[in-house]
Amino acid sequence: MKKINLLFRLLIACIISNCCFGGNDSLRIVQWLDSITLQPDKQNYFNDKVQFLIQQNENQVDKFATLTILKAKFELKRGNFNEVDRSLNKVLKKENLSKRSKAITLQLRGSLKAVRKEFQEAIKDYELALRLFDELVNAREAAYLKNNIANIVF
């Protein structure tokens, strides 16, 4: 029993140290974006850290897409639509982008266009994303997109 307790404690310590020190880049980005909200006086500092990490991963196409999408979602909520548009278009220009990353990017760009009341363009992006999610057999995301399209049409 003592061995199991010791192994369990060691496992917990490894998980905590990995989260705190190794960390996942996506988690770091989210933490820094959260810090921008909580500490507006340090906005430039945290924004620079986010941008640096995104640029550092520019050659890893899907990782770059994931990090850029996280930043774009944050900026969409803040109303920085031009920044979102620029970021998402940069992702879509990447070669070798996976279908999943492309679909998620198109889905978010469709949401941006819907917020801007560019409904026909939003539907086009949603439909492109829907085709990709159907190819990936991702019924949950496909249903979400169908709902978005229906909300615009009806």
Short mmCIF file of all heavy atoms in Angstrom, two decimals, residues 18-20 22-34 53 66-67 70:
data_model
loop_
_atom_site.label_atom_id
_atom_site.label_comp_id
_atom_site.label_asym_id
_atom_site.label_seq_id
_atom_site.Cartn_x
_atom_site.Cartn_y
_atom_site.Cartn_z
N ASN A 18 4.87 19.09 -15.04
CA ASN A 18 4.71 19.21 -16.49
C ASN A 18 3.79 20.38 -16.83
O ASN A 18 4.06 21.15 -17.73
CB ASN A 18 4.18 17.91 -17.10
CG ASN A 18 4.12 17.98 -18.61
OD1 ASN A 18 5.05 18.49 -19.22
ND2 ASN A 18 3.06 17.48 -19.18
N CYS A 19 2.70 20.50 -16.08
CA CYS A 19 1.77 21.61 -16.34
C CYS A 19 2.40 22.95 -16.02
O CYS A 19 2.20 23.92 -16.74
CB CYS A 19 0.50 21.43 -15.51
SG CYS A 19 -0.53 20.08 -16.08
N CYS A 20 3.17 23.00 -14.94
CA CYS A 20 3.75 24.27 -14.52
C CYS A 20 5.00 24.65 -15.30
O CYS A 20 5.22 25.81 -15.61
CB CYS A 20 4.09 24.23 -13.03
SG CYS A 20 2.64 24.10 -11.98
N GLY A 22 6.79 22.40 -18.01
CA GLY A 22 6.88 21.97 -19.40
C GLY A 22 5.77 22.63 -20.19
O GLY A 22 5.99 23.38 -21.13
N GLY A 23 4.59 22.35 -19.75
CA GLY A 23 3.41 22.99 -20.27
C GLY A 23 3.16 22.80 -21.75
O GLY A 23 4.05 22.58 -22.53
N ASN A 24 1.95 22.90 -22.09
CA ASN A 24 1.50 22.80 -23.46
C ASN A 24 1.38 24.23 -23.99
O ASN A 24 0.89 25.11 -23.30
CB ASN A 24 0.15 22.08 -23.43
CG ASN A 24 -0.47 21.90 -24.76
OD1 ASN A 24 -0.47 22.80 -25.59
ND2 ASN A 24 -1.05 20.74 -24.97
N ASP A 25 1.81 24.43 -25.22
CA ASP A 25 1.77 25.79 -25.78
C ASP A 25 0.35 26.35 -25.82
O ASP A 25 0.15 27.54 -25.59
CB ASP A 25 2.38 25.80 -27.18
CG ASP A 25 3.89 25.66 -27.15
OD1 ASP A 25 4.49 25.87 -26.09
OD2 ASP A 25 4.47 25.32 -28.20
N SER A 26 -0.62 25.50 -26.10
CA SER A 26 -2.02 25.96 -26.12
C SER A 26 -2.44 26.46 -24.74
O SER A 26 -3.11 27.49 -24.62
CB SER A 26 -2.95 24.83 -26.55
OG SER A 26 -2.67 24.44 -27.86
N LEU A 27 -2.05 25.74 -23.72
CA LEU A 27 -2.39 26.17 -22.36
C LEU A 27 -1.70 27.48 -21.99
O LEU A 27 -2.29 28.33 -21.34
CB LEU A 27 -2.02 25.07 -21.35
CG LEU A 27 -2.81 23.78 -21.46
CD1 LEU A 27 -2.27 22.74 -20.49
CD2 LEU A 27 -4.29 24.01 -21.22
N ARG A 28 -0.45 27.61 -22.43
CA ARG A 28 0.26 28.87 -22.16
C ARG A 28 -0.43 30.04 -22.84
O ARG A 28 -0.60 31.10 -22.24
CB ARG A 28 1.71 28.78 -22.65
CG ARG A 28 2.60 28.11 -21.64
CD ARG A 28 4.03 28.30 -22.03
NE ARG A 28 4.51 26.97 -22.34
CZ ARG A 28 5.61 26.68 -22.98
NH1 ARG A 28 6.37 27.64 -23.43
NH2 ARG A 28 5.97 25.45 -23.20
N ILE A 29 -0.82 29.84 -24.11
CA ILE A 29 -1.51 30.92 -24.84
C ILE A 29 -2.79 31.32 -24.11
O ILE A 29 -3.05 32.51 -23.90
CB ILE A 29 -1.86 30.46 -26.28
CG1 ILE A 29 -0.61 30.30 -27.12
CG2 ILE A 29 -2.86 31.40 -26.94
CD1 ILE A 29 -0.12 31.53 -27.83
N VAL A 30 -3.58 30.33 -23.71
CA VAL A 30 -4.84 30.63 -23.01
C VAL A 30 -4.56 31.36 -21.70
O VAL A 30 -5.25 32.31 -21.35
CB VAL A 30 -5.65 29.33 -22.78
CG1 VAL A 30 -6.83 29.58 -21.86
CG2 VAL A 30 -6.12 28.76 -24.11
N GLN A 31 -3.54 30.93 -20.99
CA GLN A 31 -3.19 31.59 -19.73
C GLN A 31 -2.80 33.04 -19.97
O GLN A 31 -3.23 33.95 -19.25
CB GLN A 31 -2.04 30.85 -19.05
CG GLN A 31 -1.63 31.48 -17.73
CD GLN A 31 -0.42 30.78 -17.11
OE1 GLN A 31 0.30 30.05 -17.78
NE2 GLN A 31 -0.21 31.04 -15.84
N TRP A 32 -2.00 33.30 -20.99
CA TRP A 32 -1.57 34.67 -21.28
C TRP A 32 -2.74 35.52 -21.75
O TRP A 32 -2.83 36.69 -21.39
CB TRP A 32 -0.44 34.68 -22.30
CG TRP A 32 0.85 34.11 -21.78
CD1 TRP A 32 1.28 34.11 -20.48
CD2 TRP A 32 1.86 33.47 -22.53
NE1 TRP A 32 2.51 33.50 -20.39
CE2 TRP A 32 2.89 33.10 -21.63
CE3 TRP A 32 2.01 33.15 -23.87
CZ2 TRP A 32 4.05 32.43 -22.05
CZ3 TRP A 32 3.17 32.49 -24.29
CH2 TRP A 32 4.17 32.15 -23.37
N LEU A 33 -3.63 34.94 -22.55
CA LEU A 33 -4.80 35.70 -23.00
C LEU A 33 -5.70 36.04 -21.81
O LEU A 33 -6.24 37.14 -21.73
CB LEU A 33 -5.57 34.91 -24.06
CG LEU A 33 -4.83 34.72 -25.39
CD1 LEU A 33 -5.62 33.79 -26.30
CD2 LEU A 33 -4.54 36.04 -26.07
N ASP A 34 -5.82 35.10 -20.89
CA ASP A 34 -6.59 35.35 -19.67
C ASP A 34 -5.93 36.47 -18.86
O ASP A 34 -6.61 37.33 -18.31
CB ASP A 34 -6.68 34.06 -18.85
CG ASP A 34 -7.63 34.19 -17.68
OD1 ASP A 34 -8.74 34.72 -17.87
OD2 ASP A 34 -7.26 33.74 -16.57
N LEU A 53 5.18 33.26 -29.31
CA LEU A 53 4.95 31.82 -29.32
C LEU A 53 4.29 31.37 -30.62
O LEU A 53 4.64 30.33 -31.19
CB LEU A 53 4.10 31.40 -28.12
CG LEU A 53 3.97 29.90 -27.89
CD1 LEU A 53 5.32 29.23 -27.73
CD2 LEU A 53 3.11 29.64 -26.66
N THR A 66 -3.61 26.05 -34.60
CA THR A 66 -4.27 25.93 -33.30
C THR A 66 -4.03 27.16 -32.43
O THR A 66 -4.96 27.72 -31.85
CB THR A 66 -3.78 24.67 -32.56
OG1 THR A 66 -4.10 23.52 -33.36
CG2 THR A 66 -4.41 24.54 -31.19
N LEU A 67 -2.79 27.59 -32.35
CA LEU A 67 -2.45 28.75 -31.52
C LEU A 67 -3.07 30.03 -32.08
O LEU A 67 -3.58 30.86 -31.32
CB LEU A 67 -0.93 28.88 -31.40
CG LEU A 67 -0.20 27.70 -30.77
CD1 LEU A 67 1.31 27.93 -30.79
CD2 LEU A 67 -0.70 27.41 -29.36
N LEU A 70 -6.80 30.10 -31.30
CA LEU A 70 -7.06 30.50 -29.90
C LEU A 70 -7.00 32.02 -29.75
O LEU A 70 -7.86 32.63 -29.13
CB LEU A 70 -6.05 29.84 -28.96
CG LEU A 70 -6.21 28.34 -28.74
CD1 LEU A 70 -5.01 27.80 -27.98
CD2 LEU A 70 -7.50 28.05 -27.98
#
